[in-house]
Amino acid sequence: MNVLDLLARLGGEILSNKARAVVDGKIVILARMNGNDWEYTPEGQALADAHSNAAVEEAAAKPKRAKKPAEPVAEVETTPEAPAAVELADVEPEL
């Protein structure tokens, strides 16, 4: 789970190059921006590990739905305005 997934899961925000969220009534810094990459803080890494495992368990607990069987296609009506197909043998090449 990356930092942005964890932020979305916890309802956190990005402020001053820090990813933070309110956990149990306390503001916790989850990660800090270092160059172009996010680096977890120790608290953030612990929360990411806990929520990553919880996300896997939630996904496994969801019931899987079977696909509906395909239905046969109804008859298709053609309209007389449709242009007739042109065969290549009927076309003379231009030289």
Side-chain angles (χ1 to χ4, degrees), residues 6 10 19 28-31 40-51:
L6 183 61
L10 295 175
V28 177
I29 304 296
L30 303 173
Y40 278 111
T41 61
E43 298 87 7
Q45 186 64 53
L47 283 169
D49 292 342
H51 282 274

Side-chain angles (χ1 to χ4, degrees), residues 22-94:
V22 177
V23 178
D24 297 328
K26 180 181 170 191
I27 295 176
V28 177
I29 304 296
L30 303 173
R32 297 178 194 279
M33 185 65 93
N34 185 8
N36 291 331
D37 298 323
W38 288 104
E39 289 187 5
Y40 278 111
T41 61
E43 298 87 7
Q45 186 64 53
L47 283 169
D49 292 342
H51 282 274
S52 178
N53 294 338
V56 169
E57 291 171 4
E58 288 173 7
K62 286 185 181 177
K64 295 183 179 176
R65 298 183 345 194
K67 291 183 179 179
K68 293 170 75 175
E71 296 179 9
V73 177
E75 290 185 29
V76 178
E77 294 182 25
T78 58
T79 60
E81 297 86 32
V86 177
E87 293 186 27
L88 293 178
D90 295 340
V91 178
E92 302 235 357
E94 295 181 23

